Amino acid sequence: MWIWLGVILILLLACIALVLILLSPIKFRLVARKVNWNETVRIEVVTLYGLTRLRYEIPYIIFKNMKDGFKVEQKHTSNLEKGEADSSAQDINKDKVRFWADQFHDLLRATRGLKQWMASTLRYVTFDKLDWSTNVALSNAAHTATLSGVLWGLKTTLIGWLSCYIRLKQRPRLFVVPVFDQPPQFVTEFECSGKIRLGRALYAGFVLIVRVLKVKGGFKKWLSFTVKGN
């Protein structure tokens, strides 16, 4: 009898642990900053109640020329890996962008309803914070005011479109500050943080696999994309 009680207790604890894992949030935070010609991007992801932490950072983006495009340095760290952060650099030019666009179109053809899947998955993402501030100055005050109006319109349009697909817990904070009687400058900072439950993310992944398998050759396309990377 005591053996059966022990087995039942173990199974009950396992079920509780499984439920807690599935209900745990995947938290993310994105910070992007541009100060004139200097740019930085940082992404942080925390899962399993803080047991797993990932960090991806682009410390700088250098514009080389119109032909070669940009040089981007990347760094990523994880508390599950020992040693220093891995870093790499790559060039992003028009050929690279065209290659990515072709890959995306291939994935669209290799997945039944990929856009619908993305839209339905985003509905389970909750944003706790969304801030976007910009300071801009041109040599002419009238041009500065005009550009500020254009930037404000672009921001409100973009955030309005995005709010149709995601849930916002608080009103986005958008700022456009025209700076007069100052040298030309462009400073912008975007920060957002949000979460999705691990169970929802796993379910979305399962649905994606089913959609891929419904297309002939879809799995092979995705496998090729995963192996080749970027």
Side-chain angles (χ1 to χ4, degrees):
M1 179 178 178
W2 291 107
I3 296 178
W4 284 108
L5 288 176
V7 171
I8 293 174
L9 180 60
I10 292 175
L11 291 176
L12 180 61
L13 292 176
C15 291
I16 294 175
L18 179 60
V19 170
L20 290 176
I21 290 174
L22 293 177
L23 292 178
S24 66
I26 301 176
K27 298 181 178 180
F28 61 87
R29 179 170 176 261
L30 167 65
V31 178
R33 179 179 302 159
K34 178 177 177 62
V35 181
N36 295 326
W37 295 102
N38 300 316
E39 302 88 7
T40 56
V41 180
R42 185 172 68 253
I43 302 174
E44 299 174 354
V45 180
V46 179
T47 62
L48 296 177
Y49 303 103
L51 294 177
T52 304
R53 295 177 179 270
L54 304 174
R55 180 168 177 169
Y56 178 82
E57 184 176 1
I58 299 177
Y60 68 82
I61 303 173
I62 300 177
F63 177 72
K64 302 171 73 173
N65 52 58
M66 294 299 295
K67 179 180 179 181
D68 298 328
F70 298 86
K71 181 179 180 180
V72 179
E73 180 181 338
Q74 308 164 75
K75 294 181 179 179
H76 69 272
T77 58
S78 170
N79 65 336
L80 300 179
E81 300 176 356
K82 296 182 179 180
E84 298 181 355
D86 294 333
S87 62
S88 61
Q90 66 171 321
D91 294 328
I92 299 179
N93 50 35
K94 61 180 182 181
D95 294 331
K96 192 75 170 181
V97 173
R98 188 182 296 112
F99 172 72
W100 286 339
D102 292 340
Q103 280 192 322
F104 179 72
H105 288 300
D106 287 342
L107 294 182
L108 283 177
R109 291 190 294 267
T111 310
R112 177 173 296 181
L114 179 59
K115 291 182 179 180
Q116 292 81 354
W117 173 84
M118 294 174 63
S120 61
T121 301
L122 284 175
R123 283 199 290 266
Y124 296 113
V125 180
T126 301
F127 279 74
D128 305 314
K129 179 180 182 180
L130 200 160
D131 296 345
W132 191 1
S133 62
T134 303
N135 292 8
V136 61
L138 297 177
S139 55
N140 184 285
H143 294 167
T144 299
T146 301
L147 180 58
S148 298
V150 172
L151 290 175
W152 183 257
L154 289 174
K155 282 188 178 186
T156 54
T157 301
L158 180 60
I159 298 302
W161 171 81
L162 186 62
S163 63
C164 296
Y165 297 94
I166 63 175
R167 293 185 294 173
L168 298 169
K169 293 188 66 175
Q170 68 174 24
R171 187 183 182 90
R173 297 193 300 174
L174 307 178
F175 304 96
V176 178
V177 181
V179 181
F180 301 103
D181 300 324
Q182 294 289 334
Q185 61 176 281
F186 184 83
V187 179
T188 187
E189 181 172 353
F190 178 86
E191 180 178 354
C192 70
S193 60
K195 61 186 177 183
I196 180 175
R197 295 199 180 278
L198 179 59
R200 288 291 187 184
L202 293 176
Y203 174 74
F206 173 76
V207 173
L208 178 62
I209 293 174
V210 172
R211 288 178 177 269
V212 171
L213 293 177
K214 287 183 177 180
V215 178
K216 184 178 180 179
F219 179 76
K220 185 177 180 181
K221 286 273 189 181
W222 275 89
L223 183 62
S224 176
F225 171 78
T226 304
V227 172
K228 292 180 180 178
N230 54 11

